[in-house]
Amino acid sequence: MNGEPRKRISERALSVWRIYGMIGWAVSFIAFATVIALLIIFDGPKWIIPILVILLLGEGYFFIFFIPTLRWRRWRYEVREQEIEIQKGLFVMKRTLIPMIRVQHVDSSQGPLLKKYKLASVTIFTAATVHEIPALDEGEAEELRYHISRLARVADEDV
Amino acid sequence: MKMSEKKRLHPISVIANILKQLKDAFLPLILVIIIGNKTVSSMWDITVPLAVVVYTIVIGIVSWLRFTYWLEEGELRIEYGVFVRKKRYIPFERIQGISISEGFLQRMVGVVKVNVETAGHQPGEAEAVLTAVTRKEAKQLQRLIQKSKEKTEEIAEILPREESTASFLPNDQGLEQEEKNIIFSMNFWEIFQVALTSGGAFGVISAIFLFATQFDELIPYEKLYKDAQTFIAHGVFYTAVVILLIFIAAYIISVIQNMLRYAFFTVEKIGENIIISRGLLERKKIAIPIERVQGIVIKENIIRRWFGYASVYVIHAGGAFNEGDHGSIVLCPLIKKERIASVILSCLPEYSLNLKFIAPPKRACIRYMLRPLYVLLFPVCIAAFWLRPWGLLLLLLLSIASYFGYLSYQDAGWAISNHQLALRSRLLSVRTVYMLKNRIQSMEASCNWFQQRQRLGTIMATVMSGTGGAGGKVVDLDQKDIQTIYTWFKRTKGN
């Protein structure tokens, strides 16, 4: 579809997502390592080990490199005078349109990891739905929240 | 007192927080202690609960320190969060109401608890809670919000604003000259038909099942299972007969239930409200302000569709603080399809139902026919294999499912007019949703990899929170059509 939203989220988001991926990978590394250790100790079938190693490496590549990159590349948003548009999706491409007059309020939030990378996320609430723009630059997030909050109030109904 | 400075809640909220946290942690804690008793070390018994208590106290204090609120530029602003820092700014105009309450703790130190509610995504759940503020502050907040409300009300006189709080008392307008007319009603025979065709038997059965699971301790299941096993051994035939009997009984119960529920069903329009009253034993009356109607849903289930009947629902947004009913409310339980347009015209004239629906493209047909199989294929094949040779007849089920897929392809469609979007889809019953452009909260166009290859996509529009009566969705439309709908909703053109 043409007329995609123009803005991308911060490139530092990529690093944060990679770290999330690494944390997940570390957990499965421990699990896989335990299974392999048990196989060796109890003299289980050895042919499973290379399969497990490949699976683990595959998972690592997938969740640390492939998915974050794809996700970042797909993520776009644009805040216009009368509406907010969001585009995202890994395997299912989604485009969402939120009219400014429907915005109820806007949150911004920042966890420890996001804070370290000077990032923050913005969440937009309508009366029915919730939409998140993750990992924006701190200042940008603040500005965006301010901006949306401003526009959301100015835009009165044009019934 | 200046409200524009950042300030904290009354320290009593620390205790309130801790108590609430402890209440949540109570059960797991007991569990830990009980399990701990079985292990040998007695250190465990003390350390874990102690750690939990210390943790909640620390968190309670820190979260109190971190929670600040103030009023600035016509917004209620709150910052909070221990690990994740959150900022929530709510414009006064968006606040639907404020409720002030005082619990035991609050009363002890003479403060109040303030719940701030917007037309939020979760009805009944406040968008912001100020656990302990002085009464004076609460009043001030209330006043300020009222003032900004009045300001917008002035605009509202020129522009009809839908968000203004609804009046739920049709009597208030009684002094004005009001038109009152019955739009729709049903006689005994029609109500009987509703009850017969409602398909409520499944509801009754699941209710029985739920009821049974509530008392699973009392019912000797193991014995029952054994009995059932010997019983089934007697033959599939007997089992089938018993199941059939249960279904018939459930069906009769549901018919009676529905008869009672829909007895004396009438819909009136009084002023700007739609009043629905029904019920024999328990008379129920629902008032729906027209400005709170978010959309219209027309449902045709298999049997009713056969006879050219349908049922009509309105999606009602409810009011602040759970005032009034929320969700899909039945406007006409059973109505001849030809009559729907005239009923809607007399109570919700903004909607137009005579539209020509545009169907999904031919190439989507195969996807529609395959879709029911994704879920069914595997279990049915297993069952067929298990019960062979006769079980192979189950494979017929797959073709029936596929046929229903074909039916949903035939019935799916969309239609837009100047200010209204209609989406029609079918699972077993056909569901058509009519939504006004200015009521749609958000719209989502999506397409997955398989759809992309065939230039198909899915469109979804949401008018209200919650599942069920939340909006409409049509899958596998032509991407050009999706683009048309999307652009129709877009307010920034030429982009």
Side-chain angles (χ1 to χ4, degrees):
Chain A
M1 279 182 268
N2 54 33
E4 288 188 328
R6 287 196 211 108
K7 291 190 105 174
R8 286 176 182 279
I9 56 176
S10 168
E11 254 173 82
R12 295 196 298 280
L14 214 48
S15 319
V16 174
W17 288 342
R18 294 226 159 104
I19 292 171
Y20 286 149
M22 278 179 215
I23 294 169
W25 189 74
V27 172
S28 41
F29 177 82
I30 293 167
F32 275 72
T34 322
V35 171
I36 290 172
L38 287 175
L39 274 175
I40 291 168
I41 293 168
F42 292 103
D43 206 26
K46 294 283 188 295
W47 56 268
I48 298 179
I49 295 173
I51 294 177
L52 288 180
V53 171
I54 288 167
L55 273 178
L56 190 63
L57 290 178
E59 192 208 318
Y61 169 72
F62 214 63
F63 286 99
I64 301 173
F65 299 101
F66 184 70
I67 288 186
T69 315
L70 192 62
R71 197 168 156 209
W72 184 82
R73 210 181 295 151
R74 291 278 170 84
W75 238 108
R76 273 154 204 260
Y77 71 95
E78 197 172 328
V79 177
R80 290 186 279 263
E81 196 75 0
Q82 295 199 48
E83 68 206 345
I84 301 161
E85 191 169 8
I86 289 171
Q87 176 179 304
K88 63 174 175 183
L90 287 171
F91 304 108
V92 182
M93 281 293 277
K94 281 185 190 163
R95 273 180 83 175
T96 314
L97 211 52
I98 310 147
M100 218 33 118
I101 42 161
R102 293 279 141 257
V103 174
Q104 291 284 337
H105 58 95
V106 195
D107 280 12
S108 67
S109 78
Q110 188 177 44
L113 194 57
L114 287 181
K115 185 162 190 137
K116 193 174 168 291
Y117 280 87
K118 297 203 183 332
L119 295 170
S121 71
V122 169
T123 315
I124 299 150
F125 292 79
T126 72
T129 50
V130 183
H131 312 270
E132 195 192 15
I133 304 176
L136 289 170
D137 180 77
E138 252 176 2
E140 213 181 321
E142 199 67 8
E143 210 173 282
L144 188 65
R145 203 210 41 221
Y146 184 77
H147 189 62
I148 293 175
S149 160
R150 204 51 11 147
L151 287 176
R153 280 199 290 162
V154 170
D156 217 311
E157 190 49 283
D158 57 329
V159 192
Chain B
M1 194 181 303
K2 274 191 83 173
M3 291 288 276
S4 58
E5 282 163 15
K6 281 192 188 195
K7 62 177 75 168
R8 298 213 168 83
L9 298 169
H10 190 278
I12 195 74
S13 73
V14 176
I15 297 170
N17 283 348
I18 291 171
L19 283 180
K20 192 170 164 279
Q21 290 281 326
L22 280 182
K23 204 177 76 189
D24 292 342
F26 187 69
L27 265 178
L29 213 58
I30 294 284
L31 212 70
V32 166
I33 291 170
I34 290 169
I35 294 167
N37 269 339
K38 285 181 185 159
T39 59
V40 218
S41 96
S42 58
M43 275 296 281
W44 175 263
D45 280 10
I46 306 162
T47 17
V48 171
L50 205 68
V52 172
V53 170
V54 168
Y55 174 78
T56 32
I57 289 173
V58 171
I59 291 288
I61 293 168
V62 175
S63 64
W64 170 68
L65 283 172
R66 283 281 171 89
F67 192 106
T68 52
Y69 70 97
W70 70 102
L71 304 175
E72 200 181 319
E73 297 182 49
E75 289 181 321
L76 168 64
R77 302 189 167 177
I78 299 171
E79 290 189 13
Y80 62 103
V82 177
F83 298 111
V84 179
R85 302 284 283 139
K86 293 197 171 181
K87 298 176 183 181
R88 171 164 291 186
Y89 291 13
I90 310 175
F92 289 160
E93 293 93 332
R94 291 291 193 240
I95 295 175
Q96 286 223 325
I98 284 185
S99 79
I100 297 173
S101 63
E102 38 187 338
F104 176 70
L105 282 171
Q106 280 88 350
R107 210 168 298 167
M108 261 188 357
V109 288
V111 292
V112 289
K113 177 176 167 183
V114 176
N115 280 307
V116 178
E117 191 151 322
T118 64
H121 50 121
Q122 280 151 331
E125 200 174 290
E127 237 55 62
V129 184
L130 306 174
T131 332
V133 299
T134 61
R135 196 175 284 277
K136 203 171 151 197
E137 271 181 327
K139 282 269 145 56
Q140 203 174 342
L141 193 64
Q142 217 166 20
R143 237 191 345 265
L144 271 170
I145 284 158
Q146 208 118 52
K147 226 195 302 183
S148 79
K149 270 255 147 72
E150 275 158 25
K151 224 188 284 167
T152 47
E153 226 88 301
E154 280 166 29
I155 305 166
E157 276 174 34
I158 313 161
L159 297 160
R161 251 178 70 96
E162 81 183 87
E163 228 77 72
S164 62
T165 34
S167 70
F168 275 89
L169 301 165
N171 294 345
D172 278 0
Q173 301 164 340
L175 294 175
E176 299 165 31
Q177 157 222 15
E178 67 187 25
E179 32 173 338
K180 170 179 175 169
N181 50 347
I182 292 178
I183 294 164
F184 178 77
S185 67
M186 289 198 302
N187 60 32
F188 181 80
W189 172 236
E190 282 171 321
I191 291 163
F192 186 60
Q193 281 176 305
V194 173
L196 277 184
T197 56
S198 77
F202 293 100
V204 172
I205 285 173
S206 56
I208 291 171
F209 188 74
L210 255 180
F211 186 74
T213 49
Q214 292 292 309
F215 295 94
D216 52 358
E217 310 247 299
L218 300 176
I219 299 170
Y221 273 113
E222 271 174 42
K223 193 170 168 296
L224 275 183
Y225 282 138
K226 250 179 222 154
D227 287 351
Q229 266 173 3
T230 48
F231 188 75
I232 290 168
H234 278 301
V236 179
F237 177 72
Y238 288 106
T239 338
V241 168
V242 169
I243 290 173
L244 193 70
L245 281 177
I246 291 175
F247 261 93
I248 290 171
Y251 184 62
I252 292 169
I253 292 172
S254 91
V255 166
I256 295 169
Q257 255 183 359
N258 279 317
M259 292 285 293
L260 294 178
R261 186 180 302 156
Y262 291 120
F264 303 112
F265 191 97
T266 47
V267 179
E268 297 164 273
K269 184 175 178 183
I270 303 177
E272 285 304 295
N273 292 274
I274 301 171
I275 314 280
I276 301 169
S277 39
R278 62 175 170 82
L280 182 65
L281 300 178
E282 189 193 7
R283 199 92 184 111
K284 255 194 124 176
K285 213 165 193 179
I286 307 166
I288 304 170
I290 285 170
E291 56 173 17
R292 306 290 298 167
V293 172
Q294 296 288 83
I296 300 172
V297 182
I298 296 175
K299 265 191 202 161
E300 305 159 60
N301 76 18
I302 304 171
I303 304 165
R304 289 180 193 168
R305 189 178 166 77
W306 209 285
F307 295 104
Y309 281 97
S311 25
V312 182
Y313 299 80
V314 290
I315 302 176
H316 178 214
F321 294 105
N322 254 355
E323 260 180 277
D325 290 80
H326 180 92
S328 272
I329 291 170
V330 64
L331 189 71
C332 314
L334 190 74
I335 184 171
K336 262 269 182 237
K337 262 162 86 178
E338 300 86 67
R339 265 189 70 200
I340 297 175
S342 72
V343 168
I344 293 299
L345 187 69
S346 56
C347 61
L348 298 158
E350 279 174 298
Y351 292 84
S352 49
L353 304 192
N354 297 321
L355 299 164
K356 207 171 145 28
F357 278 78
I358 299 167
K362 273 235 166 58
R363 58 180 186 276
C365 182
I366 189 78
R367 282 182 55 82
Y368 268 94
M369 288 178 71
L370 287 177
R371 190 168 293 109
L373 299 186
Y374 299 155
V375 218
L376 279 178
L377 191 63
F378 196 57
V380 164
C381 282
I382 285 182
F385 181 76
W386 197 260
L387 297 170
R388 88 205 110 100
W390 288 106
L392 290 176
L393 283 176
L394 278 174
L395 293 178
L396 278 176
L397 209 67
L398 292 180
S399 51
I400 294 171
S402 204
Y403 175 67
F404 271 103
Y406 177 69
L407 286 182
S408 26
Y409 162 72
Q410 275 201 320
D411 287 315
W414 62 277
I416 43 179
S417 63
N418 199 13
H419 63 292
Q420 178 194 270
L421 168 69
L423 297 176
R424 176 180 286 166
S425 60
R426 170 169 197 175
L427 224 68
L428 286 176
S429 30
V430 182
R431 185 169 180 271
T432 315
V433 190
Y434 297 85
M435 293 163 282
L436 295 181
K437 189 180 196 170
N438 57 348
R439 301 279 164 153
I440 297 174
Q441 302 282 342
S442 70
M443 181 178 280
E444 186 183 287
S446 66
C447 86
N448 63 32
W449 190 70
F450 297 103
Q451 287 177 318
Q452 182 64 44
R453 282 203 321 183
Q454 296 183 49
R455 285 164 290 118
L456 297 170
T458 301
I459 193 86
M460 191 167 102
T462 314
V463 288
M464 212 185 66
S465 58
T467 45
K473 181 180 174 181
V474 188
V475 293
D476 292 340
L477 288 176
D478 196 320
Q479 272 184 6
K480 278 195 201 112
D481 293 353
I482 301 262
Q483 184 75 50
T484 312
I485 301 172
Y486 200 78
T487 330
W488 168 81
F489 189 57
K490 212 171 193 170
R491 282 146 203 260
T492 317
K493 305 287 178 195
N495 184 344

